[in-house]
Amino acid sequence: GAVVSQHPSRVICKSGTSVKIECRSLDFQATTMFWYRQFPKQSLMLMATSNEGSKATYEQGVEKDKFLINHASLTLSTLTVTSAHPEDSSFYICSAARSGGSTDTQYFGPGTRLTVL
Amino acid sequence: DAKTTQPTSMDCAEGRAANLPCNHSTISGNEYVYWYRQIHSQGPQYIIHGLKNNETNEMASLIITEDRKSSTLILPHATLRDTAVYYCIVRGFGNEKLTFGTGTRLTIIP
């Protein structure tokens, strides 16, 4: 159990276009999902927290109008990178919080590698 | 959330137990210790978590000292597929954020 998928796994796009990444919890419901970004040779950086049915909470320095997050159901959150530029090229990873016992545990998707030309 | 300190890298011979240490001297009473690992170009994989007691599952064992200021993740019989970056993260109860540090790069040597 606790499987999280992401689609697509890789995407290459032209500068100025928008890209949508989907994150799904396949065998559990997740009230809360998270979006991270990881640049080469660096650790994961949290971008935003996505709560089902409400607006996402963005970390400091992350532009909410550029990284649009929608969490319309308990199993799906989407991240749209709008007007992508080469500096947005990165590894984007989502996670979903699964409730269990006294605390939630986050399970991660396999990641989406975005390359902006 | 409390800060953690881990060695930058470690090697372990295949078939041996890999013991990965983590210091979290400022941990609070309601904060959990979580371990994840990230194999190259993949999303992090949950390994184990604990509060006070030692924990064991099919992947690993987690030993937390009595004062909770440090812990050790034990992979009992390391295989080449255990080569990864291992992250020790302290997370508060009710605070769902995970803050990733630089982790320990574990290399299993044939």
Side-chain angles (χ1 to χ4, degrees):
Chain A
V3 179
V4 178
S5 70
Q6 277 184 246
H7 178 81
S9 57
R10 288 180 175 274
V11 57
I12 300 173
C13 69
K14 291 183 179 178
S15 188
T17 60
S18 295
V19 174
K20 181 187 281 188
I21 302 170
E22 292 186 350
C23 176
R24 292 181 187 272
S25 55
L26 298 185
D27 52 1
F28 66 99
Q29 293 184 329
T31 307
T32 306
M33 291 184 171
F34 302 84
W35 288 95
Y36 296 80
R37 181 166 53 180
Q38 186 175 33
F39 292 106
K41 299 190 188 300
Q42 295 185 23
S43 192
L44 281 79
M45 293 295 293
L46 179 65
M47 298 175 68
T49 302
S50 165
N51 290 294
E52 187 265 337
S54 64
K55 288 185 179 179
T57 303
Y58 291 81
E59 294 299 299
Q60 193 170 11
V62 178
E63 300 172 57
K64 62 178 169 52
D65 294 331
K66 180 169 182 63
F67 299 99
L68 302 179
I69 291 172
N70 184 282
H71 191 162
S73 79
L74 289 173
T75 59
L76 173 64
S77 176
T78 60
L79 169 69
T80 301
V81 183
T82 63
S83 187
H85 290 286
E87 57 265 30
D88 298 322
S89 297
S90 188
F91 192 47
Y92 290 87
I93 310 168
C94 72
S95 71
R98 180 181 189 179
S99 298
S102 56
T103 186
D104 292 350
T105 295
Q106 285 187 38
Y107 294 90
F108 287 80
T112 296
R113 189 160 301 282
L114 170 64
T115 303
V116 185
L117 302 177
Chain B
D1 294 334
K3 183 180 167 54
T4 62
T5 305
Q6 298 178 252
T8 304
S9 63
M10 292 180 64
D11 292 340
C12 177
E14 187 179 17
R16 298 285 197 147
N19 295 274
L20 292 93
C22 179
N23 284 324
H24 31 79
S25 58
T26 60
I27 193 170
S28 300
N30 62 353
E31 289 183 316
Y32 288 76
V33 180
Y34 276 79
W35 283 84
Y36 285 83
R37 71 181 183 184
Q38 186 177 26
I39 295 169
H40 184 60
S41 296
Q42 297 182 23
Q45 178 187 23
Y46 165 76
I47 301 174
I48 199 166
H49 75 278
L51 183 62
K52 294 191 242 191
N53 300 322
N54 297 336
E55 302 288 343
T56 295
N57 62 21
E58 64 279 2
M59 287 184 69
S61 294
L62 174 60
I63 309 297
I64 302 175
T65 57
E66 196 170 333
D67 63 8
R68 302 187 68 237
K69 292 186 177 182
S70 66
S71 60
T72 301
L73 179 74
I74 301 172
L75 307 178
H77 304 286
T79 71
L80 297 179
R81 284 180 291 187
D82 292 323
T83 292
V85 178
Y86 287 75
Y87 296 98
C88 167
I89 301 169
V90 169
R91 199 194 107 191
F93 176 76
N95 178 350
E96 299 172 336
K97 288 184 184 182
L98 290 176
T99 301
F100 285 80
T102 52
T104 296
R105 182 172 298 278
L106 175 68
T107 302
I108 306 302
I109 301 170

